[in-house]
Structure formats: structure tokens, C-alpha cells
């Protein structure tokens, strides 16, 4: 990725774990990405209403609405359906991976 593209790239990180959020924020910010963070689905939806990120890093296991459902809802909206979503999870079962692909990640 060239520097001009990288500097303008916007990433939304959604994770309920503050330590994970902090590590990802610091790493991505160090590499000069514009980073937004949310700790839950509501926060993620609020951010995408104000700022459409170039990519979303989304935790699967969160209280309330899980990452799969967040992704489904984002993919159902015309304005957010083309934003790439990468799931972050410790889940390793094939069924979980399939659920992620089916949700649009």
C-alpha cells in the first residue's frame, strides 16, 4: 500500500475488550491510519453513520449483538454494504468460519 493511500485509509475497530482495542488502535495509529474504535454494536453503528470507514475489524464475541449480526446489518444497508469486514475471533470451528462468510465478512 502506498503512503498516500495508507494515510487516507480509515479503519473502524469494534471490540468489547479495552486491551485489544488499545493494542489495535496504537498499532494502526502508529502506521498512520485513521482509526475509530467502538466497544459494541451501538457504537459501531453510530460511527458508520458519521464516518464510512474503508474497512472494519470486528470482534465476533461481544455482549448484546454479536459480530455476525453487526455484519449482517451493515451488509443490509446500501451505504455500508461494500465496506470490507474482517472478523477478529478466537473461534476456530468450521461452522463459525462459515457463519462469518454467510454474514458477509
Amino acid at each position: 500500500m502506498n503512503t498516500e493511500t495508507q494515510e487516507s485509509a480509515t479503519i473502524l475497530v469494534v471490540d468489547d475488550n479495552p486491551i485489544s482495542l488499545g493494542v489495535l488502535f496504537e498499532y494502526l495509529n502508529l502506521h498512520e491510519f485513521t482509526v475509530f474504535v467502538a466497544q459494541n454494536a451501538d457504537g459501531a453503528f453510530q460511527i458508520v453513520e458519521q464516518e464510512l470507514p474503508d474497512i472494519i475489524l470486528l470482534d465476533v464475541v461481544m455482549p448484546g449483538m454479536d459480530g455476525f449480526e453487526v455484519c449482517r446489518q451493515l451488509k443490509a444497508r446500501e451505504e455500508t454494504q461494500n465496506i470490507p469486514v474482517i472478523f477478529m475471533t478466537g473461534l476456530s470451528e468450521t461452522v463459525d468460519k462459515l457463519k462469518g462468510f454467510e454474514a458477509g465478512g
Side-chain angles (χ1 to χ4, degrees), residues 6 43 51 54 60 64-65 67 92:
Q6 182 174 327
E51 178 72 41
D54 295 307
V60 171
M65 187 181 301
S92 61

Side-chain angles (χ1 to χ4, degrees), residues 54-97:
D54 295 307
I55 191 166
I56 299 172
L57 303 179
L58 180 58
D59 185 21
V60 171
V61 181
M62 297 185 294
M65 187 181 301
D66 69 19
F68 295 134
E69 183 58 29
V70 172
C71 186
R72 278 191 216 56
Q73 289 191 25
L74 289 169
K75 296 300 179 177
R77 297 178 180 184
E78 186 175 336
E79 63 275 7
T80 57
Q81 67 185 357
N82 293 320
I83 300 171
V85 174
I86 296 176
F87 288 111
M88 302 182 300
T89 183
L91 301 175
S92 61
E93 296 295 320
T94 301
V95 68
D96 296 315
K97 294 173 185 175

Side-chain angles (χ1 to χ4, degrees), residues 12-72:
L12 170 59
V13 181
V14 186
D15 195 325
D16 63 316
N17 182 322
I19 294 171
S20 296
L21 273 180
V23 168
L24 283 165
F25 178 84
E26 290 298 321
Y27 179 81
L28 295 169
N29 196 37
L30 179 69
H31 288 82
E32 300 182 5
F33 290 102
T34 300
V35 183
F36 295 94
V37 296
Q39 289 189 294
N40 54 41
D42 290 338
F45 292 130
Q46 287 176 0
I47 290 170
V48 297
E49 286 178 13
Q50 308 241 332
E51 178 72 41
L52 290 176
D54 295 307
I55 191 166
I56 299 172
L57 303 179
L58 180 58
D59 185 21
V60 171
V61 181
M62 297 185 294
M65 187 181 301
D66 69 19
F68 295 134
E69 183 58 29
V70 172
C71 186
R72 278 191 216 56

